[in-house]
Amino acid sequence: MDVADRSRGEGPGEGAPDSIPDRGHGAVLARVLAGDRPADLRRHRGQFHDVVVGSRRVVCFARTQAAGARLAGRAAVLRAVAGLGLGVRVPEPLAQGGGAAGPEPPHLVLTRVPGAPLDPARLRERAVADAVADQYAALLRRLADAGAAAARGGLPGTPRDRWHRFAADVRDGLLPLMSAAGRARAERELAAARGLPHRESALVHGDFGPENVLWEWSGGLPRLSGVVDWDGAAVGDPAEDLAAVAAGHGDELLAAVLARVGAPPDTAERVAALRGTFALQQALGALRDGDAAELADGLRGYR
């Protein structure tokens, strides 16, 4: 989990532009992105991957051994999502390399989805905010319609005991690292998550932060061009993606999206409970992967 604002441990996304240690990346980039000038490449550091964006292809380097082991599964999820006809572009896997497959660092080569994350300052413009809310709502409706097809296509469902297992894992692994006040906060958030009803009514992206939603501009208004980073895609509760919209863009845009999708009365409560798990999800994932920096970031508000 790497939601909207990694500096507060609340957020999904592949992260903001950052310096990335080479760790053998150079040889892969010279081969895969041979037509691109190094100075033109964009680099992003996410929780699980170091991402290098070229003109036509993207290379995702696994940051940890565990993330490397998940690359094949990531490619399979992308193929399944691409077949659902969601009306937006998604990355298509082209090749996997490294690890047991050779001397290169573990990586996945993907097609590049055009567009860029939305500049949050533009949401202060009413016409832009309305266009963004319209398109988020339309995508969420398509994700809801795709739920049954996603299940038939082999994408996983959400386990009924997901939040109970999550709470047990947080207590075992994370609570000992927290202050007393942090443990009290975590217990409140875990209680809210355990009280969530089980739902499998939509395809859920699972990491719907602003860095993963790409836009192009036409006539002064944004057009949703694509969505990336589908690693956590599953059939589940659409409130999880709505919670990421709230974490990434704020409650005002969330309210506008909710008004457009005709959400059930309990949606706001589910959104709040799910949003409360984001930092804990980030910290737990980092603990499992042995990523000390992401663990510290996820636990920042609990120490």
Side-chain angles (χ1 to χ4, degrees):
M1 173 60 60
D2 194 11
V3 188
D5 185 350
R6 295 175 63 251
S7 67
R8 296 183 311 201
E10 293 181 359
E14 279 289 8
D18 198 358
S19 60
I20 298 174
D22 189 293
R23 294 194 301 230
H25 296 178
V28 176
L29 297 177
R31 175 175 56 80
V32 176
L33 306 180
D36 294 315
R37 296 190 310 161
D40 294 335
L41 301 177
R42 290 193 293 115
R43 300 167 187 264
H44 300 267
R45 187 170 189 177
Q47 180 170 359
F48 302 116
H49 307 98
D50 290 333
V51 182
V52 182
V53 182
S55 60
R56 294 183 300 110
R57 295 181 178 181
V58 174
V59 185
C60 299
F61 294 97
R63 293 189 58 209
T64 65
Q65 184 176 3
R70 294 193 294 266
L71 287 176
R74 184 181 200 197
V77 167
L78 285 173
R79 293 187 187 98
V81 170
L84 293 174
L86 297 177
V88 294
R89 297 182 185 180
V90 302
E92 298 178 23
L94 299 174
Q96 181 181 345
E104 297 176 338
H107 64 276
L108 193 63
V109 181
L110 308 170
T111 57
R112 178 183 176 178
V113 174
L118 189 69
D119 178 357
R122 298 299 302 269
L123 285 175
R124 292 195 288 268
E125 303 170 35
R126 175 55 62 86
V128 170
D130 285 344
V132 169
D134 287 343
Q135 291 172 82
Y136 264 124
L139 176 58
L140 288 163
R141 285 193 293 267
R142 291 195 294 270
L143 290 171
D145 292 342
R152 293 194 302 271
L155 286 167
T158 303
R160 286 187 173 274
D161 63 347
R162 172 189 179 185
W163 296 112
H164 289 271
R165 289 193 287 116
F166 177 74
D169 291 343
V170 167
R171 289 198 180 101
D172 289 345
L174 297 181
L175 258 60
L177 307 177
M178 299 178 184
S179 67
R183 289 192 293 272
R185 171 188 165 181
E187 288 289 4
R188 292 192 298 271
E189 292 165 345
L190 293 173
R194 288 198 311 274
L196 287 166
H198 179 73
R199 298 201 175 177
E200 291 184 287
S201 59
L203 173 62
V204 175
H205 180 279
D207 201 8
F208 210 42
E211 288 296 326
N212 290 332
V213 183
L214 306 182
W215 305 81
E216 295 180 311
W217 290 80
S218 177
L221 292 176
R223 180 180 62 81
L224 204 165
S225 59
V227 181
V228 301
D229 198 10
W230 291 84
D231 295 31
V235 182
D237 187 347
E240 188 163 351
D241 285 342
L242 286 163
V245 171
H249 293 301
D251 292 333
E252 186 173 347
L253 184 68
L254 172 66
V257 174
L258 288 175
R260 287 161 167 80
V261 297
D266 68 341
T267 301
E269 182 179 352
R270 286 164 29 232
V271 165
L274 288 161
R275 186 175 178 180
T277 69
F278 285 167
L280 294 175
Q281 288 188 62
Q282 176 184 332
L284 187 60
L287 181 69
R288 289 167 172 165
D289 278 11
D291 190 328
E294 287 291 337
L295 176 62
D297 183 62
L299 290 179
R300 183 173 304 188
Y302 299 87
R303 286 178 162 166

